[in-house]
Amino acid sequence: MKILLTGGAGYIGSHTAIALREAGFEPVVLDNFANSHPVVMERLAHITGQPFQLEQGDVLDTPWLEGVLRRHRPIGVVHFAGDKAVGESVALPLKYFHNNIGGAVSLLRAMETVAADDPAVAPTLVFSSSATVYGDPATVPITEDFPRSHTNPYGHSKLVIEDMLTALCAARPVWRVGTLRYFNPVGAHPSGLIGEDPAGIPNNLMPYVAQVAVGQREHLNVYGNDYATPDGTGVRDYIHVQDLAAGHVAALKALLGRGESFTVNLGTGRGHSVLDVVRAFEQASGRPVPYRIAPRRAGDVAQCWADPALAMRLLGWQARHTLDEMCADAWRWQSGNPNGYRS
Ligand code: NAD
Ligand code: UFG
C-alpha cells in the first residue's frame, strides 16, 4: 500500500501525506527541500503519531529514483515536485523547463524502467496540474474540455507535461494517470502545525492577507477593482488544501480500482472576489486587513472558477470546506507560526 509522494514535504504534498495515511496507505515522502523545510517531517509525525519514511534527493536524478522505486515498490506515485512561482518562471524560464519538465521525464523513465522489471510496481501516477492551463478562459465555470493555453513558462511546463502524459498513455496502455487541475489551494491543516510557507514576499493572495492580519505587512495591494466582476476585483475558486488532499486519495483509489486514466478539475465550483477574501479573513482572525487599490497585475484574468462535476462523477469527490473555514485554518497556521517553519 506504499505511495511515493515526490515533493511530499511541500504545501499540498504534506497535507496529502496525512490524508493518505488516514485512508490506510503508506506514504513515502521524497523531497530535496528546495522549497520546504525538514521540520515538516517532525510535524507530520506529531499530527499522525507515527514517523513518515523520507527519501531526501532530487527527482532529476533518475538512477537514484530507480533505486527508491526498487526499494519501496510503491503501488502508485503522486508527482508534486516542481517549481511554481509564475513571476520567477518569466525571469528564469530554463529553471522551470529543467525542473518541471525534466523532473517529470526523469520520474516517468524511472517508473517505466522499474515497472518493466517488477510487476508489483505498476506505472500508476497522479500529477499536479493547474487551472493555469486554461489561460484566460472565455467563460466560467470551466470544464475540462476548455481550450488550453499558457501565458508564462510555469504554465507552459504544465501543458507540456500534460501532453507528455497523454502521449505516454496512448503508447503504453499499462500506464494509469490521473491529472488533477487544481484551482486556488489555500488554508492549512486544522492542527495549525503545517501550512503554506512561502519564501519571501508572498505572490498569492491568501498568504499575503494572512501576513497583513498578523502584522508583518502593512497593507494588501488589491490588483485592480475595474474588472467585469460583481465588485470589480478578481474572482477565483479558492479550495481548502484538506479538500485537495482528499481529492488525491480519491484519484488514487479510482486509478487503482477502475484503472482508467483521467483529467479532472479540483475546485469548489464557487468564485470569491479579492474583497470577499479580505472580509472573510477579517472575520476569521478578528484583525483588520487594510488594503489599497493598486493597478491590475500583468497576466491576471478577471475570473476563473471550476465546474467540478467530472471529479464528482469519476471520483465521487467534492470540496466541502467554506471560505470561512479556509480563512480560519489559514489564520490558525499563520498566527501560531508567524515565520512559518522558521518560527
Ligand atoms: P511546494 O513548493 O510547497 O511543494 C513542492 C515540493 O517539491 C517542495 O517541497 C520542494 O522542495 C519539492 N521539490 C521541488 N523540486 C524538486 C526536485 N527537483 N526534487 C525533489 N523535490 C523537489 O508547492 P505546492 O504548492 O505544494 O505545489 C505542489 C504541486 O502542485 C506543484 O507541482 C505545483 O506546480 C502544483 N500546483 C500548485 C498550486 C498552488 O497554488 N499551490 C496550484 C496549482 C498547481
Ligand atoms: N491578488 C491581489 N493582491 C495580491 C495577490 C493577489 O489583489 O497581493 C489578487 C489577484 O489579482 C487575483 C487574486 O488575488 O485576482 C488571486 O491571486 P493569486 O496570486 O492568489 O492566484 P492566481 O489565481 O493569480 O494564481 C494561482 C497560482 C497559479 C495557478 C492559479 C490557478 O499562483 O500558479 O492560481 O491554479 F496557476
Side-chain angles (χ1 to χ4, degrees):
M1 290 294 272
K2 278 192 182 182
I3 305 289
L4 184 70
L5 307 184
T6 75
Y11 173 45
I12 303 169
S14 57
H15 291 78
T16 303
I18 293 175
L20 283 169
R21 174 165 283 174
E22 286 171 353
F25 291 98
E26 202 184 324
V28 177
V29 171
L30 182 157
D31 210 296
N32 65 358
F33 298 113
N35 194 41
S36 51
H37 200 286
V39 81
V40 171
M41 302 308 299
E42 292 165 28
R43 304 277 178 103
L44 291 177
H46 186 83
I47 291 168
T48 61
Q50 219 187 321
F52 281 74
Q53 297 178 75
L54 170 68
E55 290 287 352
Q56 185 169 348
D58 201 309
V59 290
L60 290 163
D61 185 345
T62 317
W64 173 74
L65 261 183
E66 283 178 20
V68 169
L69 291 166
R70 288 189 203 283
R71 262 198 312 285
H72 291 283
R73 308 177 80 198
I75 57 170
V77 177
V78 187
H79 185 42
F80 296 104
D83 293 319
K84 62 166 183 176
V86 171
E88 185 190 52
S89 81
V90 175
L92 301 172
L94 291 181
K95 179 178 184 214
Y96 280 70
F97 295 136
H98 183 58
N99 200 34
N100 292 6
I101 300 175
V105 171
S106 172
L107 174 66
L108 298 173
R109 294 192 72 182
M111 287 174 69
E112 178 130 283
T113 303
V114 175
D117 302 342
D118 183 351
V121 188
T124 300
L125 179 80
V126 174
F127 171 61
S128 297
S129 190
S130 165
T132 192
V133 300
Y134 296 117
D136 190 354
T139 56
V140 278
I142 299 169
T143 49
E144 289 79 358
D145 55 359
F146 269 38
R148 299 174 315 145
S149 63
H150 59 82
T151 52
N152 55 68
Y154 166 70
H156 198 169
S157 74
K158 292 291 178 191
L159 270 186
V160 171
I161 297 166
E162 283 199 356
D163 289 344
M164 281 184 345
L165 293 170
T166 303
L168 180 60
C169 289
R172 301 287 319 277
V174 65
W175 277 83
R176 296 177 289 190
V177 176
T179 296
L180 306 181
R181 293 180 180 154
Y182 313 152
F183 279 66
N184 289 58
V186 296
H189 190 268
S191 64
L193 289 173
I194 58 169
E196 190 172 9
D197 183 19
I201 302 172
N203 292 306
N204 295 119
L205 179 65
M206 184 77 84
Y208 202 104
V209 167
Q211 292 191 5
V212 173
V214 85
Q216 284 180 344
R217 304 197 184 274
E218 200 182 292
H219 68 272
L220 169 75
N221 288 308
V222 174
Y223 296 138
N225 68 345
D226 56 355
Y227 285 107
T229 61
D231 66 16
T233 67
V235 170
R236 297 289 184 276
D237 188 338
Y238 297 97
I239 174 166
H240 199 301
V241 66
Q242 292 284 94
D243 280 328
L244 267 192
H248 291 77
V249 175
L252 276 165
K253 285 184 175 168
L255 289 174
L256 295 167
R258 221 179 29 253
E260 279 164 27
S261 297
F262 54 81
T263 296
V264 295
N265 290 336
L266 292 187
T268 65
R270 282 201 62 186
H272 292 287
S273 73
V274 176
L275 297 182
D276 289 337
V277 172
V278 168
R279 278 189 293 270
F281 210 94
E282 287 184 327
Q283 187 72 32
S285 64
R287 301 281 185 94
V289 177
Y291 66 85
R292 290 186 196 154
I293 303 300
R296 290 182 178 194
R297 183 171 67 176
D300 272 354
V301 302
Q303 42 189 1
C304 174
W305 74 84
D307 179 338
L310 187 63
M312 180 65 196
R313 204 157 67 243
L314 293 183
L315 314 181
W317 171 90
Q318 65 182 352
R320 302 191 179 281
H321 292 86
T322 62
L323 181 62
D324 291 344
E325 290 166 331
M326 301 176 210
C327 292
D329 287 333
W331 175 243
R332 192 175 303 107
W333 157 251
Q334 180 69 49
S335 54
N337 307 267
N339 296 308
Y341 291 112
R342 289 164 301 281
S343 294

